[in-house]
Amino acid sequence: MQTRDEVLDAALRCLNADPTASMAEVAAAIGIGRATLHRHFATREALVHEIAQRSLERWERGQAEVDMSGVAASGDAERIEACLRTMLAAFVQDAEDFAYALSDPCMLSQPDLAARMAELQELEVKFFRAAQEAGVVRRDVPAVWLSHTTYGLMIASREALQSGDVAAKGMADLVVSTFLDGAGAR
Amino acid sequence: MQTRDEVLDAALRCLNADPTASMAEVAAAIGIGRATLHRHFATREALVHEIAQRSLERWERGQAEVDMSGVAASGDAERIEACLRTMLAAFVQDAEDFAYALSDPCMLSQPDLAARMAELQELEVKFFRAAQEAGVVRRDVPAVWLSHTTYGLMIASREALQSGDVAAKGMADLVVSTFLDGAGAR
DNA sequence: CTCAGGTGAGACACCACTGTCTCACAACAG
DNA sequence: CTGTTGTGAGACAGTGGTGTCTCACCTGAG
């Protein structure tokens, strides 16, 4: 007897590995019957919707845990930088969750999800603006580009981990360092 | 009467916008009948395979145009840096092509395509190693990570362009700058 | 003009997937 | 023991997509 969370976890893993997996395949990956999966989620759409919802909530929780908006409003460079480092590291941890949720075409077509996603991104952009004003990050690029960059590095970290090119242990530090310092020689 | 290339271009655009588009939808987007599309490509798989093939060829051509391997072998820091900048800019130009081809699950399961992709990536990693030895990029990160980073930034640039957050005109410079200098304040 | 070749619309068979439902069975509580 | 609840396997209907094929029509060459 699995909890709903366990079901969702396993479903996410399966769909991450193969976004085209059928409900029968998802059910098998979870270790339950297809009828049971349908009892949890009436439709495939409902399942995907809830997975995406969870990822957005995770994102939101991440922002709240480091009090991203509060730190941004403080204008304190040290706090902002610490907050940024923590968030980047958290993105690496959550890359597996987000990769599916943020790229699935079905999700982006759901108004509630797309709206929520835009809100969270806007909050993040505000944080980067504050980081610019505080002198933590460069001011000569659009703040929204910095948000896209973190997304790109999150995708990169996911791929590097999947292919075994980089050890999980140092991944977060690598992302933080790459984001802040770039790849050019010092 | 459209050429095969025009058909492929239009198909790629359609599938980029909606990877789940049916053959009927792809044909309509191209402006031809479905039967005609099938006359060009016997199966959906054949179409996708050829699109991916084209993207890989484009990637390969990009490497050849700047003589990436030759420049790497020269060990000349200035040439290597110029080559790197050119390639990064080219990635931004080609992001729309690559985004679909490099992420489609079907493609990654085709042995010939996956093998070719691995070869091209290995050549790129070799280039980054040479760039490290020449003192162009930092040596304290795995060269293969630099390859993943360029991929991540390519994805980021595609998203930024799609959402209209960044103007196409300055996109390439932004990617180059972000890659080399990072986001941290100077 | 005729003929050949290409095209798009539409029909058809097949298939995989989805959603729905039944039923036998297992587990648990009283 | 009985009764209740939950489960998985399997059957079924419906749907959308795929591949295949036919045919009327159009275009271009001779």
Coordinates of all heavy atoms in Angstrom, one line a residue, chain B residues 1 32-36 39, chain C residues 6-12:
Chain B
M1 N 5.5 23.2 -55.1 CA 6.4 22.1 -55.0 C 7.6 22.5 -54.1 O 8.4 23.3 -54.5 CB 6.9 21.7 -56.4 CG 8.0 20.6 -56.4 SD 7.5 19.1 -55.6 CE 9.1 18.4 -55.3
I32 N 1.5 20.8 -47.1 CA 1.3 19.7 -48.0 C 0.3 18.7 -47.5 O -0.1 18.8 -46.3 CB 2.7 19.0 -48.3 CG1 3.2 18.4 -47.0 CG2 3.6 20.0 -49.0 CD1 4.5 17.6 -47.2
G33 N 0.0 17.8 -48.3 CA -0.9 16.7 -47.8 C -0.2 15.7 -47.0 O 1.0 15.5 -47.2
R34 N -0.9 15.0 -46.2 CA -0.3 14.0 -45.4 C 0.3 12.9 -46.2 O 1.4 12.3 -45.9 CB -1.3 13.4 -44.4 CG -0.7 12.4 -43.4 CD -1.6 12.2 -42.2 NE -2.7 11.4 -42.5 CZ -2.7 10.0 -42.4 NH1 -1.6 9.4 -42.1 NH2 -3.8 9.3 -42.7
A35 N -0.4 12.5 -47.3 CA 0.1 11.4 -48.2 C 1.4 11.8 -48.8 O 2.3 11.0 -48.9 CB -1.0 11.1 -49.2
T36 N 1.5 13.1 -49.1 CA 2.7 13.6 -49.7 C 3.9 13.6 -48.7 O 5.0 13.2 -49.0 CB 2.6 15.1 -50.2 OG1 1.4 15.1 -51.1 CG2 3.8 15.6 -50.9
R39 N 5.1 10.3 -48.6 CA 5.9 9.9 -49.8 C 7.3 10.4 -49.6 O 8.3 9.8 -50.1 CB 5.3 10.6 -51.0 CG 4.0 9.9 -51.4 CD 3.5 10.3 -52.7 NE 2.1 9.8 -52.9 CZ 1.0 10.6 -52.9 NH1 1.1 11.9 -52.7 NH2 -0.2 10.0 -53.0
Chain C
dG6 P 7.0 11.8 -60.2 OP1 8.4 12.1 -59.9 OP2 6.4 10.5 -59.9 O5' 6.1 12.9 -59.4 C5' 6.1 14.3 -59.8 C4' 5.1 15.1 -59.1 O4' 3.8 14.8 -59.7 C3' 4.9 14.7 -57.6 O3' 4.9 15.9 -56.9 C2' 3.6 14.0 -57.6 C1' 2.8 14.5 -58.7 N9 1.8 13.6 -59.3 C8 2.1 12.3 -59.7 N7 1.0 11.7 -60.2 C5 0.0 12.7 -60.1 C6 -1.4 12.7 -60.5 O6 -2.0 11.7 -61.0 N1 -2.0 13.9 -60.2 C2 -1.4 15.0 -59.6 N2 -2.2 16.1 -59.5 N3 -0.1 15.0 -59.3 C4 0.5 13.9 -59.5
dT7 P 4.8 15.9 -55.3 OP1 5.6 17.0 -54.8 OP2 5.1 14.5 -54.9 O5' 3.3 16.2 -55.1 C5' 2.7 17.4 -55.7 C4' 1.2 17.4 -55.4 O4' 0.5 16.4 -56.2 C3' 0.9 17.1 -53.9 O3' 0.4 18.2 -53.2 C2' -0.2 16.0 -54.0 C1' -0.6 15.9 -55.4 N1 -0.9 14.6 -55.9 C2 -2.1 14.3 -56.4 O2 -3.0 15.1 -56.3 N3 -2.3 13.0 -56.8 C4 -1.4 12.0 -56.9 O4 -1.7 10.9 -57.4 C5 -0.1 12.4 -56.5 C7 1.0 11.4 -56.5 C6 0.1 13.6 -56.0
dG8 P 0.3 18.2 -51.7 OP1 0.6 19.5 -51.1 OP2 0.9 17.0 -51.1 O5' -1.3 18.0 -51.5 C5' -2.2 18.9 -52.3 C4' -3.6 18.5 -52.0 O4' -3.9 17.2 -52.7 C3' -3.9 18.2 -50.6 O3' -5.3 18.7 -50.3 C2' -3.8 16.7 -50.4 C1' -4.2 16.2 -51.8 N9 -3.6 15.0 -52.2 C8 -2.3 14.6 -52.0 N7 -2.0 13.4 -52.5 C5 -3.1 13.0 -53.1 C6 -3.4 11.9 -53.9 O6 -2.7 10.9 -54.2 N1 -4.7 11.8 -54.4 C2 -5.6 12.8 -54.1 N2 -6.9 12.7 -54.7 N3 -5.4 13.9 -53.4 C4 -4.1 14.0 -53.0
dA9 P -5.9 18.7 -48.9 OP1 -6.3 20.1 -48.7 OP2 -5.0 18.0 -48.0 O5' -7.2 17.8 -49.1 C5' -7.9 17.9 -50.3 C4' -8.9 16.7 -50.3 O4' -8.2 15.5 -50.8 C3' -9.5 16.3 -49.0 O3' -10.9 16.1 -49.2 C2' -8.7 15.1 -48.6 C1' -8.4 14.4 -50.0 N9 -7.2 13.7 -50.0 C8 -6.0 14.0 -49.4 N7 -5.0 13.1 -49.6 C5 -5.6 12.1 -50.4 C6 -5.2 10.9 -51.0 N6 -4.0 10.5 -50.9 N1 -6.1 10.2 -51.7 C2 -7.3 10.7 -51.9 N3 -7.9 11.8 -51.4 C4 -7.0 12.5 -50.7
dG10 P -11.8 15.9 -47.9 OP1 -13.1 16.5 -48.2 OP2 -11.1 16.2 -46.7 O5' -12.0 14.3 -47.9 C5' -12.3 13.7 -49.2 C4' -12.1 12.2 -49.0 O4' -10.7 11.8 -49.1 C3' -12.6 11.6 -47.7 O3' -13.5 10.5 -48.0 C2' -11.3 11.1 -47.0 C1' -10.4 10.8 -48.2 N9 -9.0 10.8 -47.9 C8 -8.3 11.7 -47.3 N7 -7.0 11.4 -47.2 C5 -6.9 10.2 -47.9 C6 -5.8 9.4 -48.2 O6 -4.6 9.6 -47.8 N1 -6.1 8.3 -48.9 C2 -7.4 8.0 -49.3 N2 -7.5 6.9 -50.0 N3 -8.4 8.7 -49.1 C4 -8.1 9.8 -48.4
dA11 P -14.4 9.9 -46.8 OP1 -15.8 10.2 -47.2 OP2 -13.9 10.4 -45.5 O5' -14.1 8.4 -46.9 C5' -13.9 7.9 -48.3 C4' -13.2 6.5 -48.1 O4' -11.8 6.8 -48.0 C3' -13.6 5.7 -46.9 O3' -13.9 4.4 -47.3 C2' -12.4 5.8 -46.0 C1' -11.2 6.0 -47.0 N9 -10.1 6.7 -46.5 C8 -10.1 7.9 -45.8 N7 -8.9 8.3 -45.4 C5 -8.0 7.3 -45.9 C6 -6.7 7.1 -45.8 N6 -5.8 8.0 -45.2 N1 -6.1 6.0 -46.4 C2 -7.0 5.1 -46.9 N3 -8.3 5.2 -47.1 C4 -8.8 6.3 -46.5
dC12 P -14.6 3.4 -46.3 OP1 -15.5 2.6 -47.0 OP2 -15.1 4.2 -45.1 O5' -13.4 2.5 -45.8 C5' -12.5 1.9 -46.8 C4' -11.3 1.3 -46.1 O4' -10.3 2.4 -45.8 C3' -11.6 0.7 -44.8 O3' -11.3 -0.7 -44.9 C2' -10.7 1.4 -43.8 C1' -9.7 2.0 -44.6 N1 -9.1 3.3 -44.1 C2 -7.7 3.4 -43.9 O2 -7.0 2.4 -44.3 N3 -7.2 4.5 -43.4 C4 -8.0 5.5 -43.0 N4 -7.4 6.6 -42.5 C5 -9.4 5.4 -43.2 C6 -9.9 4.3 -43.7

